[in-house]
Each structure stands twice: as structure tokens, then as C-alpha cells.
């Protein structure tokens, strides 16, 4: 487990780098194969290193606020300037994989059409498209036969603690029940062997 600290505590610590990432999500009434409710759109990205993660990046708090830095990273990585405020902050952690790094995580709800426009911009105008970012991906939140859907998605490899960030945000935003999250995690676990 990563150690959680407050946003304020994080900003008083000297000698740390700060990374800010965000889960952009929204509701949809679309149905897969015309019958399986998609329920929610949740965006992640395929990174240059082949790992899944959230859009965002390194922010230098002596030059810009965490939220302004995250907005700048979003402009680079998804091609549109999404406003991020302190209200969107969900948690800050001392990274266990990277000793001098604090990871800040944000969540922001958007409309389905805003998310569709953002996905288009991520290909059409984002400076990092095809370079640091290989593409935005939607997280499947449903369950199909034999682990299809969320369990298979969770069996991929994720950067840093972004997999745990995804699971806690799905719970926090009530996009899935605690029981559904546990089911997905245990089915994903069985796929690893
Ligand atoms: P450059 O523009 O090349 O500097 O990259 P960046 O600023 O976009 O940084 P990046 O998004 O790679 O994030 C910086 C560091 O934060 C990474 O090296 C990872 O250790 C960590 N990181 C990246 N993505 C995530 C994420 O989704 N969640 C968490 N918790 N950490 C992440
Ligand atoms: Mn970046
Ligand atoms: Mn990044
Ligand atoms: Mn950067
Ligand atoms: Mn698309
Ligand atoms: Mn960059």
C-alpha cells in the first residue's frame, strides 16, 4: 500500500517531485452488442512504454499550481485544456516504486459529448499523440463470459499505482459496487497464473 498524505502536507515537503494524473469519466446509455450496458465512460491511456496509465504528468509546484500543471499536461496529452480545480483532487501518495515522487490523483466528471470531443482532439491536435501517448482507451466496466471486460482489462500492466487509483476511483465515484470491484480483481488474479 502507498502512504496517503494530504495535498497540503505534500506541498510542504522538500526534495520531492510531483506527478499529477486524472481520471476523466462520464455516463453513457450506450449498449455493447445492443444489450450490455456500458454504463460509464472511463478514460485511461496507452503510454509510450506499453503500460496503461492516466493522462497527466510531472508538475513543478514552484512554477505552477498542481492543478494548472495538470491542465497543461492534459493539453499536451489529450489536445484540449480541461479545467482542473482543487475540488477535483482525490488523494496524494508517497510513491513506493519511486522514492522521491509524490503522486496526486484527480477525478473529473464530463458529459458523453465532451468525452467524445476529447478523444477526437487526442488524435487530431495533441502534441504528444503517437509519441508519449499511443492512444486514449476506455475502460470496460462490464463482465462478459470467461473474464472478458473489466477482469481482462485489469490483467494488463499498469504504471506506478495507477491500477489502484482506478479501483479506488471506481468505488469513490460509485461507478461499480464494492462487490463488482472485488469480483473483477479476483477474476483478474486468476488470469495471472
Ligand atoms: P514527460 O513529459 O516525458 O516528463 O512525462 P510526463 O510529465 O507526462 O510524466 P508521466 O505521465 O510519465 O508521469 C511521471 C511519473 O509519474 C511516471 O514516471 C510514473 O512514475 C508516474 N505515473 C505516470 N502515470 C501515472 C498514473 O497514471 N498514476 C500514477 N500514480 N503515477 C503515474
Ligand atoms: Mn506529459
Ligand atoms: Mn504523462
Ligand atoms: Mn511532462
Ligand atoms: Mn473513439
Ligand atoms: Mn512531455
Amino acid at each position: 500500500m502507498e502512504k496517503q498524505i494530504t495535498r497540503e502536507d505534500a506541498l510542504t515537503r522538500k526534495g520531492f517531485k510531483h506527478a499529477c494524473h486524472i481520471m476523466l469519466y462520464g455516463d453513457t446509455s450506450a449498449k455493447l452488442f445492443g444489450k450490455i450496458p456500458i454504463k460509464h465512460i472511463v478514460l485511461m491511456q496507452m503510454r509510450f512504454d506499453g503500460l496503461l496509465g492516466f493522462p497527466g504528468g510531472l508538475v513543478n509546484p514552484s512554477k505552477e499550481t498542481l492543478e494548472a500543471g495538470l491542465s497543461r499536461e492534459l493539453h499536451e496529452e489529450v489536445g484540449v485544456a480541461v479545467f482542473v480545480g482543487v475540488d477535483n483532487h482525490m488523494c496524494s501518495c508517497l510513491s513506493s516504486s519511486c522514492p522521491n515522487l509524490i503522486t496526486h490523483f484527480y477525478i473529473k466528471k464530463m458529459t458523453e459529448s465532451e468525452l467524445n470531443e476529447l478523444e477526437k482532439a487526442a488524435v487530431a491536435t495533441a502534441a504528444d499523440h503517437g509519441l508519449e501517448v499511443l492512444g486514449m482507451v476506455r475502460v470496460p466496466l462490464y463482465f462478459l463470459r470467461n473474464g472478458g471486460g473489466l477482469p481482462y482489462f485489469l490483467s494488463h500492466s499498469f504504471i506506478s499505482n495507477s491500477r489502484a487509483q482506478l479501483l479506488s476511483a471506481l468505488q469513490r465515484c460509485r461507478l461499480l459496487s464494492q462487490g463488482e470491484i472485488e469480483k473483477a480483481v479476483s477474476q483478474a488474479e486468476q488470469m495471472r497464473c
Side-chain angles (χ1 to χ4, degrees), residues 77-182:
E77 298 189 359
V78 301
V80 288
V82 178
F83 176 81
V84 183
V86 179
D87 287 357
N88 299 114
H89 178 264
M90 191 180 118
C91 57
S92 299
C93 278
L94 298 173
S95 171
S96 50
S97 50
C98 201
N100 297 314
L101 184 71
I102 296 176
T103 58
H104 304 273
F105 190 57
Y106 293 76
I107 45 184
K108 180 166 178 155
K109 188 167 188 183
M110 300 174 73
T111 66
E112 182 169 15
S113 62
E114 285 171 336
L115 291 164
N116 283 330
E117 288 309 309
L118 185 143
E119 285 176 314
K120 285 183 204 159
V123 174
T125 62
D128 288 346
H129 176 67
L131 302 169
E132 291 170 37
V133 182
L134 301 183
M136 299 305 294
V137 296
R138 294 186 181 200
V139 179
L141 297 182
Y142 41 80
F143 293 81
L144 304 173
R145 262 175 235 287
N146 303 320
L150 186 58
Y152 260 119
F153 185 84
L154 293 175
S155 74
H156 291 300
S157 297
F158 291 78
I159 185 82
S160 183
N161 67 336
S162 60
R163 186 180 185 273
Q165 287 174 330
L166 171 66
L167 294 172
S168 63
L170 292 178
Q171 189 187 354
R172 169 77 72 99
C173 304
R174 298 179 186 282
L175 304 188
L176 290 180
S177 70
Q178 188 54 32
E180 289 170 313
I181 293 169
E182 282 164 16

Side-chain angles (χ1 to χ4, degrees), residues 34-111:
K35 61 179 184 204
I36 298 162
I38 303 276
K39 294 195 283 196
H40 308 284
I41 298 166
V42 170
L43 295 184
M44 292 190 78
Q45 65 183 17
M46 177 53 71
R47 295 162 42 91
F48 65 94
D49 52 16
L51 297 172
L52 291 163
F54 290 99
L58 293 171
V59 173
N60 181 345
S62 65
K63 296 214 176 87
E64 55 191 346
T65 65
L66 293 175
E67 292 74 26
L70 176 52
S71 246
R72 171 185 54 72
E73 282 289 340
L74 287 173
H75 186 253
E76 295 168 11
E77 298 189 359
V78 301
V80 288
V82 178
F83 176 81
V84 183
V86 179
D87 287 357
N88 299 114
H89 178 264
M90 191 180 118
C91 57
S92 299
C93 278
L94 298 173
S95 171
S96 50
S97 50
C98 201
N100 297 314
L101 184 71
I102 296 176
T103 58
H104 304 273
F105 190 57
Y106 293 76
I107 45 184
K108 180 166 178 155
K109 188 167 188 183
M110 300 174 73
T111 66

